[in-house]
């Protein structure tokens, strides 16, 4: 039997991404690993409720923007207060797609990764 553990996004500016994930989603670092030679930093973010983490990977030798293809993959988070979350994301200017028929929307992080926000159902 397998259980989910973590998901990874590679980022170009770790500090900017950490600030975004804290402000937009309330995710906080729960673990950090740095290479001895400074070539990479891994920061695992948690929601404080589940064991699932989002791994942010910063690579020193990859300063250019990542090719995300057609952005057809995404991470999804459930919002306890969907309306308040939507208002916060609207104010941040990070909403990139809305689907009112399905009752969901997506935000985009600083590197262009899409994150689906869904209400509690």
């Amino acid at each position: 039997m397998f259980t989910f553990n973590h998901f990874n996004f590679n980022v170009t500016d770790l500090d900017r991404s950490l600030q975004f994930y804290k402000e937009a989603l309330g995710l906080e670092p729960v673990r950090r690993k740095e290479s001895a030679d400074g070539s990479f930093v891994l920061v695992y973010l948690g929601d404080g409720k589940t064991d699932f983490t989002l791994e942010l990977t910063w690579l020193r030798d990859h300063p250019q923007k990542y090719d995300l293809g057609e952005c057809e993959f995404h991470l999804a988070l459930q919002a306890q207060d969907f309306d308040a979350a939507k208002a916060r994301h609207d104010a941040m200017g990070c909403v990139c797609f809305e689907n009112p028929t399905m009752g969901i929307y997506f935000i985009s992080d600083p590197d262009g990764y899409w994150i689906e926000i869904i209400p509690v159902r």
Side-chain angles (χ1 to χ4, degrees):
M1 181 67 188
F2 295 91
T3 57
F4 282 108
N5 182 272
H6 73 273
F7 191 77
N8 170 262
F9 285 159
N10 282 32
V11 300
T12 55
D13 183 327
L14 184 58
D15 291 333
R16 178 182 68 178
S17 293
L18 289 170
Q19 180 180 347
F20 173 83
Y21 282 98
K22 181 176 184 174
E23 182 180 347
L25 301 169
L27 301 180
E28 296 279 351
V30 294
R31 192 168 73 240
R32 182 182 187 106
K33 179 177 179 157
E34 298 184 35
S35 66
D37 66 1
S39 62
F40 71 85
V41 177
L42 309 176
V43 178
Y44 295 85
L45 304 177
D47 60 16
K49 296 177 184 172
T50 67
D51 291 333
F52 185 85
T53 56
L54 173 61
E55 174 189 348
L56 300 181
T57 299
W58 173 82
L59 301 172
R60 179 188 59 207
D61 297 329
H62 196 288
Q64 69 274 24
K65 186 175 179 151
Y66 285 93
D67 179 358
L68 304 182
E70 296 179 12
C71 287
E72 289 298 325
F73 63 91
H74 63 271
L75 181 65
L77 280 84
Q78 190 173 51
Q80 295 298 315
D81 187 339
F82 186 81
D83 293 334
K86 177 71 167 56
R88 178 185 327 156
H89 297 145
D90 281 336
M92 290 177 66
C94 62
V95 175
C96 60
F97 181 76
E98 296 181 54
N99 187 328
T101 303
M102 292 181 69
I104 62 169
Y105 67 94
F106 291 79
I107 61 174
S108 179
D109 88 344
D111 287 282
Y113 293 102
W114 281 31
I115 299 140
E116 180 180 357
I117 307 300
I118 59 176
V120 175
R121 297 189 175 159

